[in-house]
C-alpha cells in the first residue's frame, strides 16, 4: 500500500524559506512522477511543481525561480525548497503520485507566510 507523508510546514515571515518533505512507503519514487500541489483557503488545489522519474522538473509560473523540487532516491523522499516566500504562498501543501492509474495523496502540511 502506497503512503505519502508530508512534513516541514510551519509559520514563516515573508522573504523566508522552508523545505517541505514527502516521504513514501510502498513504492519507489525513483520511477514515478511526483507532484507538489497546494490549496489555499477557499481556493482550488493547484499544482506548483513536478518531478519525473528521469528528474525532469517543471513549475507553476507563480513559484518559478523561488521553489525547487528535488528527489533523494536513497531516502525515497521528494523535497520542495521554498525561498523568498510570500503571503500568497500560504496554503496546505500536498504531495501526489500516480501508480498504476491510482492517485495517492498525503495529508498535507500547512505553510503560513505572515509577519
Amino acid at each position: 500500500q502506497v503512503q505519502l507523508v508530508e512534513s516541514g510546514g510551519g509559520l514563516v515571515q515573508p522573504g523566508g524559506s522552508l523545505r517541505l518533505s514527502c516521504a513514501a512507503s510502498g513504492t519507489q519514487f525513483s520511477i514515478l512522477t511526483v507532484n507538489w500541489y497546494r490549496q489555499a483557503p477557499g481556493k482550488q488545489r493547484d499544482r506548483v511543481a513536478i518531478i519525473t522519474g528521469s528528474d525532469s522538473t517543471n513549475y507553476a509560473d507563480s513559484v518559478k525561480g523561488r521553489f525547487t523540487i528535488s528527489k533523494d532516491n536513497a531516502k525515497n523522499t521528494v523535497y520542495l525548497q521554498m525561498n523568498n516566500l510570500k503571503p500568497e504562498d500560504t496554503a496546505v501543501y500536498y504531495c501526489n503520485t500516480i501508480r498504476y492509474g491510482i492517485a495517492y495523496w498525503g495529508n498535507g502540511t500547512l505553510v503560513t507566510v505572515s509577519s
Side-chain angles (χ1 to χ4, degrees), residues 21-108:
S21 299
C22 173
S25 60
T27 191
Q28 292 297 317
F29 271 160
S30 60
I31 60 172
L32 296 175
T33 293
V34 180
N35 306 284
W36 280 101
Y37 284 78
R38 68 184 180 188
Q39 187 167 21
K43 295 190 176 181
Q44 67 180 21
R45 190 174 297 188
D46 293 322
R47 185 168 65 189
V48 296
I50 179 173
I51 186 165
T52 69
S54 58
D55 291 343
S56 295
T57 60
N58 204 359
Y59 301 90
D61 288 343
S62 58
V63 307
K64 203 168 290 185
R66 300 187 298 120
F67 290 12
T68 303
I69 189 170
S70 62
K71 184 168 49 174
D72 185 332
N73 291 331
K75 295 183 178 180
N76 212 23
T77 299
V78 170
Y79 302 99
L80 186 67
Q81 178 67 43
M82 307 186 296
N83 298 329
N84 191 21
L85 283 161
K86 304 176 180 181
E88 51 264 42
D89 295 318
T90 295
V92 178
Y93 285 72
Y94 300 88
C95 66
N96 155 270
T97 194
I98 298 175
R99 182 172 176 264
Y100 299 130
I102 299 173
Y104 296 93
W105 296 88
N107 289 328

Side-chain angles (χ1 to χ4, degrees), residues 7-18:
S7 62
L11 174 64
V12 62
Q13 293 186 342
S17 298
L18 283 175

